Amino acid sequence: DIQVTQSPSAMSASVGDRVTITCRASQGIGNNLAWFQQKSGKVPKRLIYAASSLQSGVPSRFSGSGSGTEFTLTISSLQPEDFATYYCLQHNTYPPTFGQGTKVEIK
Amino acid sequence: EVELVESGGGLVQPGGSLRLSCAASGFVFSDYYMDWVRQAPGKGLEWVGRMRDKANGYTTEYAASVKGRFTISRDDSKNSLYLDMDNLKTDDTAVYFCGRSVSGSWSNWLDSWGQGTLVSVSS
């Protein structure tokens, strides 16, 4: 199975900060990676697909980059509604695997 | 508007069985692969399995942790997806989500999710 290592596992940030979350895959996965946001007690919501494509309706402050084994989710200017847990998902091969999650908290 | 509504969760004893359902609306259900994903209390997301569409033979894939115990099926005439869970273990306790995936594009994984249904396995 492909292992996905997500970092950091948690972080504190302030409104307006630039936030970067990284996922590293144990082997190359092309651009077969998606990013999800999950607010406490809510349903996960896809933000990014194909590593860098923005899901319709998602604010442009969210962006994704990378290919192969290293991927990044960037929030250019953190907003109050962005405090949540973020997950990456590799879907290059079965079984698809999620990262462990990054909880973004208010500093 | 895409809508997925899970049902069937509840409390079951270890070794017991349960069937979850996912009712879909707002899109052509028969054109899509459908997935189940679960989340144990306070934990991360875990993919459980998938059923492909008719064009791809309704074939299935499962996570190793549930293979041989869980069975995914669908009824396109009812726009419904099912998850039959047998020989349940305490580790299967989780919120179970159904999700819409892949129709014509491999990039289209889990673009829509249901609200989830809680399965608790305990004696």
Side-chain angles (χ1 to χ4, degrees), chain A residues 2-32:
Chain A
I2 295 176
Q3 309 304 314
V4 177
T5 303
Q6 189 173 338
S7 60
S9 56
M11 62 182 301
S12 296
S14 300
V15 172
D17 283 354
R18 182 181 183 87
V19 168
T20 300
I21 300 168
T22 298
C23 276
R24 290 186 174 85
S26 58
Q27 62 190 76
I29 60 170
N31 70 340
N32 293 308

Side-chain angles (χ1 to χ4, degrees), chain A residues 31-32 34 36 38 42-46 49-50 55 87 89 91-96 98-100, chain B residues 33 37 39 43-47 50 52 61-63 97 106-111 113-116:
Chain A
N31 70 340
N32 293 308
F36 298 86
Q38 186 179 33
K42 301 297 186 182
V43 177
K45 171 187 173 183
R46 193 173 76 174
Y49 63 96
Q55 178 73 26
Y87 296 93
L89 168 70
H91 56 85
N92 189 65
T93 55
Y94 290 102
F98 288 92
Q100 302 92 323
Chain B
Y33 295 11
V37 175
Q39 186 169 36
K43 302 298 185 182
L45 300 169
E46 179 187 17
W47 179 82
R50 132 173 311 183
R52 297 179 181 88
E61 304 283 349
Y62 296 95
F97 299 98
W106 186 248
S107 296
N108 192 41
W109 277 64
L110 294 168
D111 67 343
W113 298 58
Q115 85 289 349

